[in-house]
Amino acid sequence: KGIADAFEAQFKADGGTVVGRQGLPVGTTDFSAAATAAKAADADSIFYGGVTSDGAPLFRNALAQAGLGALPFYGGDGIYDGTGEGSYVAIAGANAENSFASQAAIENIPGKDEFNVKFKAEFGKDAEGYAYAGYACAQIVLDGIKTAAAAGDVTREAVRAAVVDGGKVFDTVLGPVSFDAVGDTTQRIISLYKVEGGAWKFVKEINYGN
């Protein structure tokens, strides 16, 4: 709901018109009524404020059955989950084409190919989603623990202070990362993706830090 609220507000501010909106109970598996409502409203695109596990690909399939399979289908990072078993693309199949997703992470990662080789060797699968950001978080936290340990006080507060205070720049798999006074990352990049040919394809990065 939160991401749908934010999308609706910005969409309207940019001149878009919301022709309908519907919330469904947790656990919904039949999206046919919602798809029929979208068709009756003459929607020319759909935004889904949810994730794969709560029905995004089922809704996409219902839209296709209602004759709306060609409509652009937008979602957040909750549907950008690779192409493996149980993923949005795997469940929606051919209907996943022309779907779009965003991720709060950098795509053009320095040394990405080398990271992927090591990741696959360790886990037997390709790095996807927030694998890179998760690794960067671990790098930063470990650095903070070392700094706190050197000062003799390894507590949550001490580690946080070591990471955030002083404007230190960390060398991570994502490149240089630092934090502002309230702890937000200064690497404010959103990456956008589109399903083409049964796979997520990178479209572009938007840097909100500039």
Side-chain angles (χ1 to χ4, degrees), residues 155-168:
T155 63
R156 183 181 187 279
E157 292 73 20
V159 172
R160 183 189 184 282
V163 169
V164 176
D165 295 351
K168 182 176 180 179

Side-chain angles (χ1 to χ4, degrees), residues 115-140:
F115 180 91
N116 286 341
V117 169
K118 293 179 179 179
F119 188 94
K120 191 162 189 176
E122 180 69 22
F123 300 106
K125 62 180 182 179
D126 294 326
E128 298 175 333
Y130 286 107
Y132 312 97
Y135 191 87
C137 287
Q139 290 178 295
I140 293 169

